[in-house]
């Protein structure tokens, strides 16, 4: 999941909740660039400091973390005016553009980097795929879209980002809920850093210099403009709930360890209902566009059975027959709308049928554009978007004909958008 308001595919998504990540994949500065920490005016900073101090006191009382440690860690925390602008919703004249979004993320640089990342981590990706059921191509696609494999992890200090959004969120209709959400994420960050800094040690050792240094380093690490961290852009709550130690070194490092990032993405997807061996989406049949338009309500819910969609000629029988390599007729699906303006500026929509695994990707980042981009990025890497689950005929298991898994491509294979 998130705050990709620029490309939300339905009005329902305006009231966003946090998924794994919470930042639009934008053209951010590289990790080597100077971290941005621009202060606000004096009055704003005074209110900010007071609210932050109150939260520190509350956390110290309820979590047993020394208040002096918290005060030291946040002594130089600042609000960032540009952050407040970045989370604002788009203007009323803004038109969502699936074609432009797709072109931005499914492009030669990311595909080439994806092939290299896969080749470098092929053995571990295969192991994680076998253990979790999440295809390697999907894992590679997510990390590629999020940060181009660590090239773009954000250029803001995470404590400044979360503090700004917790106590100085812009004036929007959902300001109160947004600030509460980021207060919760700020608390999650503190608990995460306290654990990383040695806070799980006895109290007499947990505030020693080395632990304090690690605690502060964690608070000061780079993040996106919404507080997402590392190669897979996990929010602090997602790191605490779903991140895992993939390389077995005894700690979780989503910034420097590709194995930790790979294993964590797979774990998130598995915990959010990924169905191994099942497709992500199906194309719709052109003869049923009228029916499709009427059923595309933008709600991220599996409302229709595949059998219903077959009867309406939105899908073909082969797609709804497990024995033919599709899915069970009673499997649930939704209509996904991907709007874009054509070359004359007229509103157009590309439709697909999203299955359970499509909505699992939406849990990672709450945007239809994002989920479809992950699916098509994975396909560009060789993912076969079809069922590989064995069928049963007369109570006997019959394996569906699964194509051999493609190896990562060393050259790019840019796919053209389905609409121009």
């Amino acid at each position: 999941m998130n705050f990709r308001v620029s490309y939300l595919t339905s009005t329902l998504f305006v009231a966003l909740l946090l998924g794994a990540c919470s930042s639009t994949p934008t053209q951010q500065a590289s990790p080597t660039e100077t971290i941005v920490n621009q202060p606000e005016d004096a009055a704003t900073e005074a209110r900010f400091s007071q609210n932050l101090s109150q939260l520190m006191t509350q956390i110290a009382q309820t979590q047993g973390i020394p208040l002096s440690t918290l005060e030291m860690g946040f002594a130089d925390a600042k609000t960032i005016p540009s952050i407040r602008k970045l989370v604002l919703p788009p203007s009323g004249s803004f038109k969502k553009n699936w074609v432009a979004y797709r072109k931005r993320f499914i492009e030669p640089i990311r595909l080439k980097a994806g092939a290299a990342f896969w080749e470098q981590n092929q053995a571990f990706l295969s192991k994680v795929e076998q253990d979790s059921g999440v295809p390697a191509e999907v894992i590679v696609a997510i990390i590629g879209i999020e940060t181009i494999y660590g090239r773009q992890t954000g250029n803001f200090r995470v404590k400044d980002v979360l503090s700004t959004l917790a106590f100085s969120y812009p004036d929007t209709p959902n300001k109160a809920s947004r600030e509460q959400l980021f207060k919760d994420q700020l608390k999650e960050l503190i608990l995460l850093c306290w654990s990383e800094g040695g806070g799980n040690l006895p109290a007499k050792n947990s505030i020693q210099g080395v632990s304090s240094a690690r605690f502060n380093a964690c608070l000061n690490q780079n993040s996106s403009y919404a507080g997402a961290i590392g190669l897979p852009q996990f929010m602090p709550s997602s790191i605490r709930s779903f991140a895992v130690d993939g390389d077995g070194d005894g700690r979780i490092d989503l910034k420097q360890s590709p194995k930790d990032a790979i294993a964590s993405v797979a774990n998130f997807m598995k915990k959010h209902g990924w169905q191994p061996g099942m497709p992500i989406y199906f194309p719709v049949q052109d003869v049923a566009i009228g029916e499709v338009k009427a059923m595309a309500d933008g709600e991220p819910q599996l409302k229709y059975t595949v059998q219903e969609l077959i009867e309406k000629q939105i899908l073909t029988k082969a797609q709804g027959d497990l024995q033919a390599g599709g899915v069970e007729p009673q499997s649930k699906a939704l209509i996904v709308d991907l709007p874009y303006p054509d070359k004359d500026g007229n509103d157009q929509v590309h439709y697909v049928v999203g299955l359970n695994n499509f909505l699992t990707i939406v849990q990672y980042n709450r945007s239809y554009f994002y989920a479809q981009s992950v699916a098509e990025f994975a396909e560009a890497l060789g993912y076969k978007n079809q069922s590989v689950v064995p069928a049963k005929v007369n109570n006997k298991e019959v394996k569906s004909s699964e194509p051999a898994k493609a190896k990562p491509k060393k050259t790019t294979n840019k796919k053209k958008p389905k609409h121009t």
Side-chain angles (χ1 to χ4, degrees):
M1 68 92 16
N2 64 59
F3 297 87
R4 291 187 172 102
V5 290
S6 296
Y7 296 102
L8 297 178
T9 55
S10 74
T11 56
L12 179 67
F13 285 155
V14 174
L16 295 171
L17 298 173
L18 283 174
C21 55
S22 182
S23 62
T24 307
T26 55
Q27 194 65 30
Q28 300 166 327
S30 69
T32 59
E33 291 186 37
T34 302
I35 296 176
V36 177
N37 290 298
Q38 298 171 309
E40 277 273 22
D41 61 83
T44 300
E45 288 299 329
R47 291 192 299 270
F48 170 83
S49 297
Q50 182 179 3
N51 290 330
L52 181 58
S53 178
Q54 291 175 351
L55 182 65
M56 297 300 101
T57 300
Q58 179 187 27
I59 292 175
Q61 293 173 347
T62 59
Q63 301 298 325
I65 302 174
L67 181 58
S68 60
T69 300
L70 294 174
E71 290 175 338
M72 184 181 302
F74 284 86
D76 63 341
K78 302 291 183 181
T79 55
I80 308 176
S82 59
I83 291 292
R84 302 176 71 233
K85 296 178 181 179
L86 287 169
V87 298
L88 286 172
S91 65
S93 61
F94 175 81
K95 284 191 175 183
K96 293 169 283 192
N97 191 332
W98 159 240
V99 174
Y101 185 99
R102 184 191 186 282
K103 183 178 181 180
R104 186 178 186 182
F105 297 110
I106 307 176
E107 46 82 27
I109 292 177
R110 289 179 199 262
L111 291 175
K112 183 178 181 180
F117 182 81
W118 190 347
E119 186 171 0
Q120 292 163 5
N121 299 280
Q122 189 167 11
F124 187 71
L125 280 163
S126 296
K127 179 181 181 301
V128 169
E129 177 176 348
Q130 183 176 5
D131 293 343
S132 67
V134 182
E137 300 96 327
V138 172
I139 298 171
V140 174
I142 287 173
I143 299 175
I145 288 175
E146 290 294 342
T147 63
I148 317 184
Y149 312 99
R151 296 182 191 179
Q152 299 175 353
T153 57
N155 63 325
F156 300 100
R157 293 193 310 190
V158 65
K159 71 180 182 185
D160 293 334
V161 169
L162 296 179
S163 297
T164 297
L165 297 177
F167 304 119
S168 187
Y169 200 85
D171 292 328
T172 60
N174 61 349
K175 176 177 179 176
S177 61
R178 294 289 89 194
E179 288 192 334
Q180 185 57 54
L181 185 148
F182 282 108
K183 287 177 187 176
D184 293 340
Q185 287 299 318
L186 183 56
K187 178 180 177 180
E188 293 283 347
L189 174 69
I190 291 170
L191 295 177
L192 170 68
C193 295
W194 181 243
S195 175
E196 287 191 5
N200 56 342
L201 299 174
K204 65 178 182 179
N205 294 325
S206 62
I207 57 175
Q208 294 297 323
V210 61
S211 297
S212 178
R214 288 174 60 186
F215 177 72
N216 291 335
C218 178
L219 294 176
N220 291 327
Q221 65 186 303
N222 288 26
S223 80
S224 72
Y225 69 77
I229 295 168
L231 275 72
Q233 293 288 273
F234 271 25
M235 292 299 289
S237 60
S238 290
I239 295 176
R240 296 191 70 218
S241 298
F242 305 109
V244 294
D245 177 14
D247 58 19
D249 67 352
R251 61 188 297 264
I252 297 171
D253 183 358
L254 299 182
K255 302 180 292 295
Q256 301 295 330
S257 173
K259 289 184 177 180
D260 287 1
I262 289 167
S264 296
V265 170
N267 188 53
F268 182 96
M269 301 294 280
K270 180 179 179 180
K271 293 292 179 63
H272 283 80
W274 182 269
Q275 293 181 345
M278 300 304 289
I280 298 172
Y281 76 100
F282 286 135
V284 303
Q285 302 301 304
D286 291 339
V287 295
I289 288 299
E291 289 278 6
V292 170
K293 288 181 179 180
M295 296 166 70
D297 58 13
E299 295 185 4
Q301 299 177 16
L302 300 172
K303 290 187 173 181
Y304 310 104
T305 66
V306 169
Q307 184 61 45
E308 288 178 276
L309 299 180
I310 292 172
E311 292 171 357
K312 293 178 180 295
Q313 296 185 306
I314 295 172
L315 297 179
T316 65
K317 289 183 178 180
Q319 290 169 323
D321 183 357
L322 182 60
Q323 298 174 22
V327 297
E328 293 280 9
Q330 295 308 307
S331 294
K332 290 294 189 72
L334 76 158
I335 303 298
V336 175
D337 55 323
L338 305 168
Y340 66 97
D342 63 20
K343 62 182 180 179
D344 297 320
N346 300 315
D347 294 336
Q348 304 292 339
V349 183
H350 174 55
Y351 296 98
V352 300
V353 172
L355 303 171
N356 177 84
N357 286 344
F358 184 93
L359 281 191
T360 299
I361 301 173
V362 170
Q363 293 300 309
Y364 196 97
N365 182 306
R366 297 174 191 272
S367 161
Y368 285 173
F369 281 17
Y370 178 85
Q372 187 64 20
S373 292
V374 168
E376 295 192 24
F377 194 115
E379 287 182 294
L381 293 173
Y383 170 65
K384 304 301 179 183
N385 185 44
Q386 63 185 51
S387 172
V388 296
V389 176
K392 287 187 177 180
V393 179
N394 297 326
N395 295 322
K396 293 183 179 180
E397 190 174 273
V398 179
K399 292 184 178 180
S400 61
S401 56
E402 177 189 3
K405 181 176 286 293
K407 293 184 178 180
K409 301 175 182 179
K410 294 186 177 180
T411 58
T412 59
N413 181 21
K414 183 177 180 181
K415 296 173 68 177
K416 295 181 179 179
K418 294 181 179 180
H419 295 269
T420 57

